[in-house]
Structure formats: structure tokens, C-alpha cells
Amino acid sequence: MKRRDFLLSSVLSAVGISLSACSKPGHTDQAKRVHAEDFPLSDISVVELQEKMKSGELTSEGIVQLYLNRIEQIDKKGPGINAVVEINPDATNIARKLDDERKLGNIRGPLHGIPVLIKENIDTGDQMITSAGSLALNNHRAKKDAYIVSKLRQAGAVILGKTNLSEWANFRSTNSSSGWSSRGGQTRNPYVLDRTPCGSSSGSAVAVAANLVPLAVGTETDGSIVCPSGINGVVGIKPTVGLLSRSGIIPISDSQDTAGPMACSVRDAALLLMAMVGEDEADAATAKQPAQAGIYLNFDDNVLSGARIGYLSKSSVFDKRVSDIMNEVINLLKEKGADVIEVELAEEVNELGQYEWTLLLCEFKGGLEKYLNSHPECGFRSLGELIEFNRKNANDVMSWFDQEIFEAANATKGLDDPKYKEAKEKCLELSRDKGIDKLMAEHKLDAIMAPTNGAAWCIDYVNGDNFGGGSSQLAAVSGYPSITVPAGNIKGLPIGVSFFGLPYTESRLIQIAHLYEKVSKKRLRPQFINSLIQ
């Protein structure tokens, strides 16, 4: 993939590796497809799980065991979707202790006893590894939890394990393919196994889609939550940068990085988001949070009545079938009282990609080295040392693609690079002043809408990712929130719709997405088909 294509297709979002043409993976067959209906907790909500624990029908320990069995049957065997890279050896004990708390009447909140999977670039201060999918950090066990992980533990969530990702959140090579890491191997799309899961939060999205867990956490720089969520038919929220702390997360960009929730429903994603919100003195960006941040469950069935939604139809290149799905979305929104207006970006916004590229290269070097030096147990202190490790272990680490992004980032002067200041200013000007802010003000919009993704492409280790369109860049570069919800499918491959808007408008976007989800009901359970070519 050319660098320009890499940028415009939102692979800066962080995506990972892929098979050389669509073909049958070979480790399963059509006669042995495992359907979601075979699992008693398929698409079960957090509220329903809480009701079952309250009534005594299930315990947290029992729920954890059901999901561990599912992971063994579906993820490691059967279709072998390979979403989970590591199981938390303490998960069952944690669940048992939370059951004991429940017996004493101590319920921490809506996530008490609920299993959650965490993307493998997020620190957990336990026995699990944080490597960003790289063999270089294959023995790195963080000394303490990332801030958002500590918040989840306080909320009573059970950290079930860690999910595979596109190596280094896909910021290593322009020719990579989503969902592959040298530590975790290839994660597969549960809808059609030889198709991409997108990335870089590949394992988190696939795990939720395939009912390996009810909730998962991903991270995004540009598209890494919304693309895999859209392609795997689940809900993903990319919050305002600074709503969730980034401390304890292996970084790409201080300007754009954020963690975010993935779930089968908007309500569950909102519950997970609420549990992670908080001001962290280790991340200055979180100090800007408004007082009402973290309250997202005030759903209103009339939220679309009189709402003005801007349809960004030319956000990226999509085929006609995606446009047809979006027309159905528009018609449904109008039926619920929304005024949908087609809007266009100024032509100069097309220059955003080149400035984003410069910004990411400069911020990556400094941010990564800051993380490495604050985690001496990693064994590395610089990007240059990681580059050298990859060269020495090329057969294992670079068997499919190189590390030209690493090398380009290392060649910069980081935040002291003369091109960095201009790039940052232009990124904010084009994405905010002449992008989202301008559209919202000119058209008096409540939200902007665009297709999240095209249909999942074939896994291709030779040519890398072949994106069919994306709309993540504006919200990513501006640092503004976005949420993707299932909108339809093409030949059984999910297509999502994204709603995005001004900073800290998560509540409004979640309400809009929730009502759309409620009336559209487009969530499609995966069928683990080997290939569309039978």
C-alpha cells in the first residue's frame, strides 16, 4: 500500500497483517461451523448478566468459566479466530472474591463481576504481558495497572485476559495487514475467516463479536477502534482525547491516542466507558474534562426529533452498496424526526493526511521512548534499540512486512523537529476550524454521520491491507468523539455507521446511536464461514 493510501484509508488508525488471497484457512470446515446460537450467553447484555447474578442463577465465577470455555472452543480450537492472546490466570479467583462481596451485599456497580478483555498494549500490573504484540517485549510485565485498568478493577470488572492486536498498533510498516502480530499471530474475522478483522484493536472487536466476552477495551490513534468495530459488527466508542487517561498505554500520539469501549450494544459500551472516565494526574489531557463527564445513560426516545445530522457522503471512497446502506440509515433517521443534511468538507481538508503523518512520526518517537524509560522492566530504552532487535530477529518479527514507519519516526527529531509545530497547527486547523467545527456551526448540526467502513477485504500477507473506505480521520485528528453502530451488511460482511461531533459530546452521540440501534436492529451474529468462495 502506498503511503498516501495508507493515510487516506485511515490505516494511521493503527491496523495490522493478513493471507495472500481469499482462501480457506484450513483449520475448520463448513460442516463444523460454530454458531453463536449454541452459546447460552450470546449477545447477552450487562444488565441481563447482573440480573442473573442477583437472582442466583449465575455467579461471576460461573460466567467467567462459561466465557473461558467459549474461548477454548471458538478462539483456540474450532474456527480458531485467535482474538485472545493471553488469559488472566487470576480471573477465576477475582470472580470468586467478587461473588463473596455480592453475598455480603457489597455491589460495586453495574460492572461488578462482569468479564472484560483488554487490548495487549495496555498495562496490567499482574502476571500478564504488555508487548503491543511485539516479540521485543514478549517478557514485559508491567509493575502497575494502567489508570483505566485500575478504574475497571475498582468498578468490579474481572480482567479476563488480553486481546491480540496489529503489532505496535500498526505503526511499524506501511505494508502491514490488520490483526497480525509477531507475538499473537493472525486474528481472523468471525464472519468470514479469510477476511480481515481490521485493526489495530482487532482482537478486542472480534472477541466481542464472537461472544468470547461481553465487553472489551481497545485503543485508537486513527480508526483503530471504529474500523474493527464496524467490520466486526459491534459498537465501538472513540472518546474525546482526554476523557480517558492514556497513562500505562503504549503510545503512538499524544495528540490523538485514546482508549475506548467495544460491546454488542450502545448501552453496554456506554457502561464500560463510564467506568473508565476519570482525571489522572499522570495524563494532563484528562484535566480538561467537564464536570458532567461520564454520565451517558440518560436515553431519550425523542432524541432524533428535530435533530440535525450532517451526512458526510464524500468522507472516503466507498462502493455503491455502502451508499445504499447509508440511504437506509438516512431514511430511518428521518422517520424518527431527524433532519439529515448532506454536507461537504472544504477541498483543502484533503491535505490533512500529510500533516497527520508528520505529526504521528514526531510524536511516536518521543512518546514511545518516554514509555520505555518509565518501564525499565521492558529492557529497551529507545526506538533505535527496537529497530535493531527487529533486524536481528527479522525471520520471526519481519517475516511478512518491514519496519519503515519505525525507521521514519526514528529519523525525526521528535517534538523538536522543525516540521512538527507546523504539522500540529495544520492538523488542528484542518480537522477542527475548517473541518468538524465549521460544519457543525454552518449547518447548526447535532452530529455528523458517515460510513464507518467498506466490506472486509481478504487477508493478504503479500500486498497488505486493501481498505474499502473509512471516515475516522476527522474525529481522530481533531481529538473529537465518534461512535460506530452496525448499519447493515454486504454478503454477510458488516458495515457500520459513525456519528461524531464536538469535544465531550459523548452523551449526545450515544443517545443518537442508541436510538438508531434500537429502531434499526442491524447487529448480525457471526457464522464463522471459511470463505465466501466455497
Side-chain angles (χ1 to χ4, degrees):
M1 195 187 321
K2 302 294 188 294
R3 191 187 78 176
R4 178 170 175 80
D5 296 332
F6 172 80
L7 287 163
L8 294 182
S9 63
S10 299
V11 91
L12 287 178
S13 53
V15 248
I17 240 197
S18 320
L19 270 171
S20 107
C22 279
S23 58
K24 297 182 181 181
H27 54 279
T28 185
D29 59 56
Q30 194 167 347
K32 294 183 179 179
R33 287 183 199 164
V34 182
H35 297 274
E37 290 79 359
D38 296 334
F39 183 54
L41 302 184
S42 285
D43 289 4
I44 194 168
S45 71
V46 169
V47 170
E48 290 171 320
L49 286 171
Q50 288 294 350
E51 289 173 350
K52 289 181 181 297
M53 286 189 283
K54 182 179 179 180
S55 70
E57 180 182 346
L58 287 174
T59 62
S60 177
E61 183 179 359
I63 291 168
V64 163
Q65 192 58 55
L66 283 170
Y67 282 115
L68 290 176
N69 292 344
R70 175 77 168 172
I71 290 168
E72 180 64 22
Q73 294 165 359
I74 302 300
D75 195 60
K76 304 308 174 191
K77 299 177 182 177
I81 50 180
N82 199 36
V84 181
V85 72
E86 187 171 6
I87 294 295
N88 182 2
D90 301 320
T92 301
N93 287 335
I94 292 170
R96 190 177 298 127
K97 289 176 181 179
L98 289 165
D99 285 332
D100 290 341
E101 287 186 20
R102 183 180 294 274
K103 290 174 184 176
L104 295 174
N106 179 18
I107 309 297
R108 300 190 189 189
L111 295 191
H112 188 106
I114 302 296
V116 179
L117 283 168
I118 306 292
K119 188 176 178 181
E120 202 259 331
N121 61 344
I122 303 174
D123 287 349
T124 53
D126 51 24
Q127 299 182 61
M128 292 189 291
I129 289 168
T130 304
S131 76
S134 169
L135 289 179
L137 303 186
N138 197 33
N139 295 312
H140 171 226
R141 290 176 173 83
K143 299 298 184 183
K144 65 176 184 178
D145 287 337
Y147 181 83
I148 59 169
V149 173
S150 68
K151 292 282 289 182
L152 289 174
R153 293 195 201 272
Q154 291 167 21
V158 179
I159 308 302
L160 189 65
K162 290 197 172 183
T163 56
N164 196 28
L165 71 161
S166 309
E167 185 166 324
W168 292 110
N170 198 51
F171 209 69
R172 201 193 86 190
S173 172
T174 57
N175 201 46
S176 62
S177 175
S178 294
W180 184 92
S181 71
S182 56
R183 180 180 180 229
Q186 179 67 53
T187 297
R188 298 187 177 278
N189 189 311
Y191 290 85
V192 181
L193 298 173
D194 63 2
R195 297 269 165 168
T196 184
C198 201
S200 65
S201 303
S202 314
S204 295
V206 169
V208 170
N211 288 290
L212 305 182
V213 73
L215 303 171
V217 179
T219 65
E220 175 161 332
T221 304
D222 183 345
S224 285
I225 288 173
V226 295
C227 181
S229 294
I231 272 180
N232 291 285
V234 299
V235 175
I237 301 176
K238 197 286 291 185
T240 305
V241 171
L243 184 65
L244 302 185
S245 168
R246 286 86 54 82
S247 64
I249 301 176
I250 297 176
I252 291 177
S253 165
D254 186 64
S255 296
Q256 297 179 203
D257 286 352
T258 181
M262 296 172 166
C264 283
S265 72
V266 173
R267 180 183 291 274
D268 282 359
L271 282 171
L272 181 55
L273 179 63
M274 287 168 59
M276 295 187 287
V277 172
E279 186 176 339
D280 177 14
E281 62 181 16
D283 185 355
T286 62
K288 300 176 183 178
Q289 293 177 16
Q292 72 274 19
I295 303 172
Y296 305 127
L297 296 180
N298 297 323
F299 298 127
D300 179 1
D301 283 351
N302 295 312
V303 68
L304 287 173
S305 181
R308 292 176 60 82
I309 310 292
Y311 174 38
L312 200 58
S313 61
K314 298 179 181 178
S315 58
S316 188
V317 179
F318 294 96
D319 70 30
K320 182 180 180 299
R321 293 168 295 181
V322 175
S323 297
D324 291 342
I325 289 171
M326 290 304 297
N327 286 334
E328 293 179 9
V329 174
I330 290 169
N331 290 336
L332 194 52
L333 294 175
K334 287 181 176 179
E335 286 177 14
K336 301 305 293 184
D339 187 8
V340 181
I341 307 104
E342 189 161 338
V343 297
E344 287 190 34
L345 292 164
E347 188 173 341
E348 61 187 305
V349 177
N350 290 331
E351 301 172 4
L352 182 58
Q354 61 182 307
Y355 295 110
E356 182 188 18
W357 176 247
T358 299
L359 177 139
L360 296 185
L361 289 177
C362 293
E363 291 192 345
F364 177 64
K365 180 179 180 180
L368 179 61
E369 292 184 349
K370 181 180 178 181
Y371 176 91
L372 294 173
N373 284 281
S374 66
H375 292 70
E377 69 277 6
C378 283
F380 294 87
R381 295 292 179 271
S382 70
L383 178 56
E385 290 178 8
L386 290 169
I387 289 171
E388 187 59 28
F389 174 90
N390 290 343
R391 287 173 180 160
K392 289 180 178 179
N393 297 275
N395 288 341
D396 295 320
V397 178
M398 298 195 292
S399 55
W400 297 112
F401 55 90
D402 211 335
Q403 57 178 346
E404 58 269 35
I405 296 179
F406 266 26
E407 291 166 351
N410 200 45
T412 73
K413 295 180 180 179
L415 302 187
D416 296 323
D417 196 291
K419 295 180 180 180
Y420 173 67
K421 182 179 179 181
E422 179 196 10
K424 186 166 185 176
E425 290 174 351
K426 292 296 286 186
C427 279
L428 295 180
E429 175 191 347
L430 295 173
S431 66
R432 294 181 181 180
D433 302 342
K434 296 180 179 179
I436 293 177
D437 293 25
K438 182 179 180 181
L439 290 178
M440 296 287 286
E442 278 188 356
H443 300 281
K444 298 181 173 59
L445 302 176
D446 292 280
I448 299 171
M449 176 182 75
T452 304
N453 57 285
W457 56 95
C458 291
I459 294 173
D460 188 344
Y461 292 132
V462 176
N463 301 303
D465 285 321
N466 180 27
F467 287 86
S471 60
S472 64
Q473 192 176 60
L474 268 184
V477 179
S478 63
Y480 291 176
S482 65
I483 178 170
T484 181
V485 184
N489 71 89
I490 297 173
K491 304 294 185 183
L493 297 168
I495 303 296
V497 57
S498 286
F499 299 95
F500 45 100
L502 296 173
Y504 300 107
T505 57
E506 279 83 0
S507 180
R508 183 68 163 168
L509 297 178
I510 286 169
Q511 285 191 44
I512 291 170
H514 175 262
L515 184 55
Y516 169 73
E517 173 191 64
K518 182 178 179 179
V519 297
S520 65
K521 298 177 181 172
K522 292 296 184 178
R523 158 76 175 152
L524 179 71
R525 286 178 177 175
Q527 298 298 307
F528 307 96
I529 296 170
N530 288 324
S531 173
L532 291 177
I533 304 171
Q534 298 295 338

